[in-house]
Amino acid sequence: MPAPETHTGLVRRARKIDRMLAETYPDARCELDFDNPFQLLVVTVLSAQTTDRRVNAVRPTLFAAYPTPAAMAAADRAHLEQIVGPLGFFRAKTESLLKLSAALVERYDGQVPPRLVDLVTLPGVGRKTANVVLGDAFGVPGITVDTHFGRLARRFGWTEETDPVKVEHAIGALFPKRDWVMLNHHLIWHGRRRCHAKKPACGACPIARLCPSYGEGPTDPVAAAALVKTQGPA
Ligand code: SF4
């Protein structure tokens, strides 16, 4: 029986996995389009229960009509509902955008605050959304524990925690802060393209040798290759 992995061994293995994922996905980045922090905040809120590509498709119309928090806070509700309609849950999403924009205007002078403690006080903004905005719009290191990140961190044997905040702290302890933002993207890209929730493509996985969950999906190279996606969900 192999000896249990030491903490140092875990840190080395985790960082090696991240390096290999960086080589595998050299284009990894936020798959939501945005031009400024306000846009990223809004599209991240809109991305709940839908795909990034659908959100990207409505983004030009949305921000052409309502480019600032002040403009969006004063939006005609029916018009906003019509724009976000293709994303589903359009009434709830419209309500979120109106409340979020109003809070930015009333409490932050129409600016997106660049601090976690402030972002999480905004309507509809949880820790995950706040960390996306901090990392990708402000360059402030944060770990974004979405469904992919949590699943992969557990499959890799990096943590057994299921609570997102505990996962965030456990993984943060394995990597230097400067690596956090890209680590998010590497795991999310791997989760969307190979390490699927159902049927991960283990036989076509570059980190199979370092993954204790190898075999959770097909190990046959041909069967596994058929499961690999070249881009995120449509
Ligand atoms: S070996 Fe399988 S479970 Fe492990 S990371 Fe690769 S696809 Fe995911």
Side-chain angles (χ1 to χ4, degrees), residues 32-195:
L32 288 165
D33 297 335
F34 64 97
D35 289 332
N36 55 49
F38 173 59
Q39 288 195 5
L40 181 58
L41 183 58
V42 166
V43 293
T44 306
V45 167
L46 287 178
S47 69
Q49 318 282 343
T50 187
T51 65
D52 290 356
R53 277 203 267 167
R54 282 188 198 152
V55 176
N56 289 342
V58 305
R59 185 187 77 103
T61 313
L62 177 63
F63 293 110
Y66 307 114
T68 63
M72 196 171 284
D76 174 67
R77 183 182 291 267
H79 184 229
L80 198 49
E81 284 181 354
Q82 190 191 349
I83 295 174
V84 303
L87 306 177
F89 303 98
F90 66 94
R91 285 205 182 87
K93 287 189 177 179
T94 297
E95 181 70 13
S96 293
L97 296 196
L98 290 172
K99 282 192 177 151
L100 175 59
S101 311
L104 288 172
V105 172
E106 284 159 21
R107 288 167 28 207
Y108 295 102
D109 206 16
Q111 303 294 318
V112 177
R115 299 193 318 163
L116 184 71
V117 284
D118 296 324
L119 283 166
V120 294
T121 67
L122 292 166
V125 178
R127 234 183 135 82
K128 187 183 75 160
T129 297
N131 274 325
V132 168
V133 173
L134 285 176
D136 289 312
F138 292 111
V140 177
I143 290 185
T144 308
V145 183
D146 74 349
T147 175
H148 297 294
F149 194 103
R151 178 179 78 252
L152 269 61
R154 287 185 289 277
R155 277 186 178 161
F156 295 169
W158 290 357
T159 182
E160 290 178 1
E161 301 289 357
T162 50
D163 174 71
V165 177
K166 288 187 179 160
V167 173
E168 192 184 313
H169 292 311
I171 307 309
L174 302 177
F175 291 89
K177 278 190 174 181
R178 65 172 181 275
D179 291 346
W180 287 2
V181 173
M182 286 314 296
L183 177 72
N184 295 329
H185 296 316
H186 296 153
L187 262 66
I188 292 169
W189 275 51
H190 191 51
R192 285 178 171 169
R193 286 157 179 78
R194 283 185 171 81
C195 194

Side-chain angles (χ1 to χ4, degrees), residues 152 155-156 190 194-195 200-202 205 207-208 211 213-217:
L152 269 61
R155 277 186 178 161
F156 295 169
H190 191 51
R194 283 185 171 81
C195 194
C202 294
C205 177
I207 59 163
C211 177
S213 302
Y214 173 74
E216 224 171 274

